[in-house]
Structure formats: structure tokens, C-alpha cells
Amino acid sequence: MHFLGIDTSCYTTSVAIADADGQILLDHRQLLSVPEGARGLRQSEMVFQHVKNLSELFPQGYTDLKAVAASVAPRPAEGSYMPVFRVSESYAKAAAYTAGAAFYALSHQHAHIGAAMLGAGQTFRGDYLALHVSGGTTDLLSVQVRENVIERIETLGSCSDITAGQFIDRIGVALGHAFPAGEAISALAARGQAQPLRCSVRELSASFSGAESAVRRALRQGMSPEDAAATVLSCVAGVLDTLIVRGREQTGIDRVLLFGGVMRSEFVRRVLQARHPGLIFSEVKYASDNACGLAAQAAFRFAWEQEERSGGNAN
């Protein structure tokens, strides 16, 4: 049996296949093309590229498809919508119908959380805090999992202006690097010294616009690119540290998952690991946008439903 996941996010077209145990057999991704010097794409441009990419990435030869999962919205919340996800939804529904397979309408956050669970060497059950840190979100979430099946995702806090990823990318582009600029900033930060920078967190929501303005002023006043990059990543790590502490205090939930493109940063991971031993980080290869978590969720959900239909008890 095979299980298909499809995710068409703002900057990556992703297709994955998992087996019945949720192990990833195929992981195809294609970054969307962003013009040099630009800081992003319009939704119509993203949709066009996704349609083109999926025709090339779509897996062949998997005839025993049992279930398909797709990200149909950014978050599992009423009113959450983004045109790009209509592409993954349409392709996934067509694939499920053609194969006579089950279809699961999930979200981009399901994809990230499911991917963060891969490779952890454990069965996930119960309550978790989760930090989704990327170019589109800096969200603190409460997640409930039943035998690796993500049952509930609740947003506890978000960003009040720009996200951590936007902060990183904007400074990176200002320094002359291509968008997205995460890898370039990380490479610079390894050679820099972080400078003091006020980073704002109100209750469980982050704010980076003031920090961005402060770094731009410092660059005009002669701050080196290396120090600017280290300062940016230190600020991001400090904000996430605060969100973890406050989230644990307010919810009583100790276990924390961290994922999203920003969590590919070794600088940020190292700071947080030192301050909070026991954090569960997504593997670097699964941190950025991908469909692997959706494929695994399709397998786990299908198995759970089969168990329930047979009158068994998966607990």
C-alpha cells in the first residue's frame, strides 16, 4: 500500500509517497523561481508555477494508492485561505478519485507538524506545544496527537507584523543576497558577533518590524554584514526562547516541536537546544516546506480508520 501527499505552498511544490508504516519512499520538491532582486511572488505567479511543476514531479507507477492527503489551506481554521493551496487540493482530489483512494483535506500546518514527527524515533500521543517558524508564519500552536494522527491544532499566538522568516529574508536581500536569504544569513552569522537588539514579544505573539528597522539603521551606520546576520538570528532565537517559556507557563505543556524553514538554521537550533534540553526539532531535511508529513498522515489516518472499522481499539 502507498500513500500520497501533495503540498503547494508559497515557494515550494512538493509531492511525497509513504508506505503503510509512514516511512517516506519518495520526496520530490521544486522551489518556485523568484526573479533576481525580488522579495516574493504574486499568488497568480505561484499558481502558474505549481501547475507546471506538478506535471513534472507527479509520481509514476504507484498503482496501489490507498489514501491521498493535501494541504488545502494554510491553517485548519475557518476563513484560512490562500489560492496556491487550491492547486494541491485539485490534484490530490483527482488522484484519489482516479485511484479509488481516500482523500484527506489537511492544512500546511499539518504538513509541517507531520514532517517534524518523522525521524523522531517515537510514537506521538497527547499534547504538544509547536513553533511553526518560516517566511509565512511565526506561530505558537497547541497540538493534540493520537497515535501519530494529528487531531487538533490550535493557534495560541502569532506575529503581529512580519514573521521571523520575513525579517531574515528582508535583511538578506538588503545585503545583496537572493530571496529567500536564510542560507546566506546563516553563513554570514557564523562569522559575526551578535549585537544587543530589542526584540518584542507581547503575551504569545512576536513582532519583528522594529528589529528590522534597527538592523537597517545599524547597517547604514557601518555594522558589518556578518554582525548584522548574527544579530538577526540571535533576535529570532531570543523571541522563540521567550515563546517557549511563556507557552509552557500558560498551558502546562512541556513537550515542544519546532519546525519551518527558519528551523534549518544551526545558529538558532544551537541557542535553543542550550536553553531548553529535550526540544524536538524537525530533521533539517524536513524543516522547510515538503509533502512528506502529509503522506505519513495519510498512512496513519487510513490505518486508524481501518482499525475502527474492524472494531479494534488502536489505543
Side-chain angles (χ1 to χ4, degrees):
M1 295 189 292
H2 295 107
F3 300 86
L4 172 66
I6 305 176
D7 182 79
T8 51
S9 66
C10 288
Y11 295 105
T12 308
T13 310
S14 308
V15 177
I17 293 285
D19 65 15
D21 296 321
Q23 299 298 309
I24 303 304
L25 305 177
L26 175 146
D27 176 11
H28 286 173
R29 310 179 203 179
Q30 178 63 55
L31 289 174
L32 303 191
S33 177
V34 179
E36 185 177 351
R39 297 197 306 185
L41 295 167
R42 294 191 299 270
Q43 285 284 313
S44 59
E45 295 169 329
M46 298 176 192
V47 168
F48 175 80
Q49 291 195 43
H50 281 311
V51 171
K52 178 178 180 294
N53 290 343
L54 276 176
S55 67
E56 300 170 356
L57 297 179
F58 213 79
Q60 304 294 323
Y62 293 93
T63 58
D64 54 347
L65 202 61
K66 296 299 181 183
V68 183
S71 52
V72 303
R75 299 175 177 84
E78 186 175 352
S80 181
Y81 170 76
M82 197 172 284
V84 285
F85 294 114
R86 287 292 179 259
V87 181
S88 50
E89 181 179 15
S90 298
Y91 269 76
K93 283 183 174 179
Y97 178 80
T98 302
F103 171 72
Y104 301 117
L106 302 180
S107 72
H108 187 60
Q109 284 188 332
H110 283 91
H112 271 296
I113 296 166
M117 291 160 53
L118 294 172
Q122 60 180 282
T123 298
F124 286 80
R125 54 173 68 91
D127 295 321
Y128 296 80
L129 289 175
L131 273 166
H132 181 184
V133 193
S134 69
T137 59
T138 302
D139 290 351
L140 179 64
L141 311 170
S142 172
V143 180
Q144 189 174 71
V145 186
R146 174 183 62 173
E147 305 302 314
N148 289 330
V149 174
I150 302 165
E151 291 197 296
R152 178 184 58 80
I153 304 171
E154 177 186 355
T155 301
L156 302 177
S158 190
C159 47
S160 58
D161 40 52
I162 64 172
T163 68
Q166 287 174 318
F167 177 32
I168 293 168
D169 287 333
R170 289 182 179 189
I171 297 301
V173 171
L175 290 172
H177 298 285
F179 176 94
E183 290 189 11
I185 288 292
S186 293
L188 287 171
R191 306 191 301 273
Q193 181 67 43
Q195 303 299 312
L197 178 66
R198 183 178 179 273
C199 303
S200 177
V201 182
R202 292 188 177 182
E203 296 183 350
L204 297 178
S205 293
S207 170
F208 291 101
S209 61
E212 180 197 357
S213 297
V215 173
R216 287 181 180 273
R217 283 195 302 271
L219 284 169
R220 289 194 295 270
Q221 294 166 4
M223 175 184 272
S224 72
E226 292 81 5
D227 288 354
T231 300
V232 166
L233 294 185
S234 180
C235 172
V236 169
V239 166
L240 300 183
D241 173 39
T242 300
L243 291 174
I244 291 169
V245 171
R246 292 184 182 177
R248 282 172 163 170
E249 288 175 348
Q250 293 194 26
T251 66
I253 300 172
D254 184 63
R255 297 176 295 182
V256 184
L257 280 162
L258 297 101
F259 49 86
V262 173
M263 299 318 304
R264 290 174 57 88
S265 168
E266 182 60 33
F267 185 109
V268 175
R269 293 165 78 102
R270 185 172 62 250
V271 170
L272 294 178
Q273 283 172 328
R275 297 178 184 177
H276 303 281
L279 296 177
I280 306 170
F281 288 92
S282 172
E283 288 188 36
V284 171
K285 65 180 179 179
Y286 294 133
S288 54
D289 291 354
N290 66 85
C292 297
L294 293 173
Q297 281 299 298
F300 296 140
R301 287 168 183 266
F302 182 81
W304 184 269
E305 290 177 358
Q306 292 295 106
E307 185 74 18
E308 287 190 327
R309 289 194 188 99
S310 68
N313 185 347
N315 288 322

